[in-house]
Amino acid sequence: MSNYNMCVPCLLGMEKPIADEIVGMGADNVEAENGRVLFSGDEHILARVNICSRYSERVLILTGHFEAHTFDELFENTKKIRWADYIGMKDKFPVKGYCLNSDLFSVRDCQAIIKKAVVESLKSRYRTDWFEETGSLYQIQFSVFKNDVSLFIDTSGTALHKRGYRPQANAAPIKETLAAAMCYFSHLRDYHTLYDPMCGSGTVAVEGALLAANIAPGINREFTAETWRNINHEVWTEERDRAKSLEKKDISFFCFASDIDSHAVNTAKLNAKRAGVEKYIKFGVSDIKDFSPSTEKGTVITNPPYGERLSDIKSAEKLYREMGKIFIPKKGWSYSIIASDEDFEKNFGRKADKRRKLYNGMIKCQLYMYFKY
């Protein structure tokens, strides 16, 4: 059974939830760094993280790591890697990546040299000069940062935030992984009542329900590494069965999700149904100013429209002031609001009890959390 060194690249702010969940999955040597989490494990861990991770974007196998200041160094060090341990004679192995603050600054040249070095490495094992590349996909990725080169093979394929339940979304939707992280930082539990009064396409509501019921987000999708010859397909079947066995059936979690846009609410209902969590969520059409919770306790987690999305910062500021009046401090209630406006607290009317820097795509945001009363 093979053991792999793996890496989950991530946006800043997501390292802790990713590291925590990967430790919980039984991986070894878990180490969070800026923008990525490193770990090791066998093919079961590889499949488990792909199927079960709520916060990761993709799972990469780390094949090599070295320093390179010249193209010769890049070529020779790449060639030394035993690429045939992964890539078969007929498999596809395209190359992509990035260079930052390094002597090697041309992405195109690095791409070509790494490709050539991999070919030379495979030639020595397979004794052939031609690779047809018609088989399984082994997407090679590279990062060159401050002359430090890391080489990877992507096991996920389509990014992990694409769970499959949201084929359509409203303008500027929040990523599924970010919505899940908001639930994580808000300490959402399977006995909580969740409210999202600006639910859009329902991503926070759906991710909250998936978390509460411990439903693996990737249970119904496929991954590139499922086609690989060096990983037994039974591994994927066993890991899906394991994930199914850990789902919670008897929970008191419930979510009330609403939005002023009836079209958005209809989309959210479809997304919840596709995710298999519609029984945990009640959707409605209403304005935030009419927010009137029906329970004694509640966890509010929401992604209000902000300046970039509204093209109207004044409207966003007015909305934040409205929210400040509605989301009042009281026992048994917490409020988590993600916003890119650095003056959010000023408009909301209160300093957050806790803040967490996160990114919605490339937009730098803060998750403002209120839980004291």
Side-chain angles (χ1 to χ4, degrees):
M1 190 171 283
S2 300
N3 208 62
Y4 301 97
N5 292 318
M6 289 173 271
C7 171
V8 170
C10 58
L11 290 172
L12 295 175
M14 298 289 278
E15 298 91 346
K16 187 177 187 320
I18 292 171
D20 283 353
E21 70 171 354
I22 291 177
V23 167
M25 291 180 201
D28 297 320
N29 307 313
V30 180
E31 185 179 346
E33 299 180 350
N34 278 346
R36 67 182 189 177
V37 176
L38 302 172
F39 62 100
S40 61
D42 61 15
E43 50 259 54
H44 280 275
I45 293 296
L46 184 154
R48 190 175 302 167
V49 177
N50 270 299
I51 292 166
C52 299
S53 179
R54 300 184 189 284
Y55 318 113
S56 303
E57 281 301 312
R58 57 184 64 251
V59 180
L60 308 176
I61 294 173
L62 177 62
T63 59
H65 178 244
F66 51 85
E67 188 174 322
H69 297 267
T70 68
F71 289 127
D72 282 343
E73 289 175 338
L74 178 63
F75 178 85
E76 293 300 333
N77 282 294
T78 301
K79 185 182 172 184
K80 287 177 188 175
I81 296 167
R82 296 167 59 94
W83 292 100
D85 288 353
Y86 308 97
I87 303 169
M89 193 161 61
K90 294 185 178 181
D91 294 331
K92 296 189 285 281
F93 51 100
V95 179
K96 65 180 180 181
Y98 68 89
C99 305
L100 193 63
N101 300 333
S102 299
D103 295 334
L104 303 176
F105 56 84
S106 169
V107 171
R108 182 175 293 180
D109 287 339
C110 287
Q111 203 170 354
I113 286 162
I114 290 168
K115 179 77 174 187
K116 184 179 178 182
V118 175
V119 167
E120 291 301 314
S121 175
L122 294 176
K123 275 184 182 180
S124 65
R125 174 76 73 89
Y126 295 122
R127 308 295 184 208
T128 181
D129 290 330
W130 174 253
F131 296 94
E132 60 184 66
E133 297 197 53
T134 57
S136 297
L137 173 64
Y138 289 77
Q139 175 67 63
I140 296 172
Q141 296 195 14
F142 67 87
S143 70
V144 185
F145 179 61
K146 294 183 177 178
N147 303 311
D148 191 70
V149 180
S150 294
L151 296 171
F152 310 95
I153 299 176
D154 179 23
T155 73
S156 303
T158 302
L160 296 182
H161 77 266
K162 295 186 178 179
R163 324 290 207 202
Y165 67 77
R166 197 175 74 175
Q168 58 175 314
N170 300 324
I174 194 168
K175 264 190 178 181
E176 294 89 333
T177 42
L178 178 57
M182 289 165 63
C183 295
Y184 167 91
F185 288 120
S186 303
H187 301 288
L188 186 68
R189 298 291 182 261
D190 62 14
Y191 51 85
H192 283 181
T193 303
L194 172 63
Y195 288 87
D196 184 358
M198 289 168 282
C199 71
S201 56
T203 311
V204 169
V206 170
E207 291 296 327
L210 290 173
L211 174 63
N214 202 36
I215 297 171
I219 195 79
N220 294 318
R221 55 157 285 178
E222 296 178 344
F223 308 93
T224 296
E226 289 189 72
T227 68
W228 292 2
R229 62 183 169 81
N230 43 335
I231 298 180
N232 190 324
H233 197 268
E234 286 300 308
V235 168
W236 297 91
T237 302
E238 290 168 12
E239 286 303 322
R240 285 192 172 90
D241 289 345
R242 176 188 177 275
K244 279 279 186 187
S245 73
L246 294 173
E247 291 180 6
K248 298 177 181 178
K249 306 294 184 184
D250 186 22
I251 59 174
S252 54
F253 171 87
F254 199 75
C255 174
F256 294 91
S258 56
D259 198 279
I260 195 171
D261 182 349
S262 60
H263 175 72
V265 172
N266 287 334
T267 299
K269 286 179 181 178
L270 286 172
N271 290 342
K273 186 174 183 180
R274 278 188 286 259
V277 294
E278 69 271 28
K279 68 179 180 181
Y280 297 115
I281 308 170
K282 182 178 180 180
F283 290 100
V285 179
S286 66
D287 195 315
I288 178 65
K289 71 179 190 303
D290 298 320
F291 179 67
S292 180
S294 57
T295 55
E296 289 185 12
K297 297 179 180 180
T299 303
V300 176
I301 306 174
T302 196
N303 170 39
Y306 33 84
E308 290 86 351
R309 200 162 90 182
L310 288 175
S311 301
D312 186 350
I313 292 172
K314 293 296 180 186
S315 294
E317 291 174 348
K318 181 181 177 183
L319 176 62
Y320 299 152
R321 288 193 292 272
E322 188 80 46
M323 291 164 61
K325 296 172 186 174
I326 294 166
F327 297 160
I328 57 174
K330 57 182 176 177
K331 187 176 181 180
W333 284 83
S334 67
Y335 310 93
S336 295
I337 306 136
I338 193 167
S340 64
D341 186 353
E342 293 184 0
D343 291 327
F344 171 83
E345 291 166 309
K346 177 183 174 183
N347 290 303
F348 189 78
R350 299 194 301 280
K351 283 279 187 185
D353 298 315
K354 195 171 183 179
R355 288 167 50 164
R356 173 74 62 166
K357 187 189 295 182
L358 294 169
Y359 282 81
N360 188 6
M362 296 310 295
I363 302 171
K364 186 171 77 171
C365 298
Q366 294 276 354
L367 181 63
Y368 298 92
M369 292 171 275
Y370 298 87
F371 46 85
K372 295 179 181 178
Y373 60 94

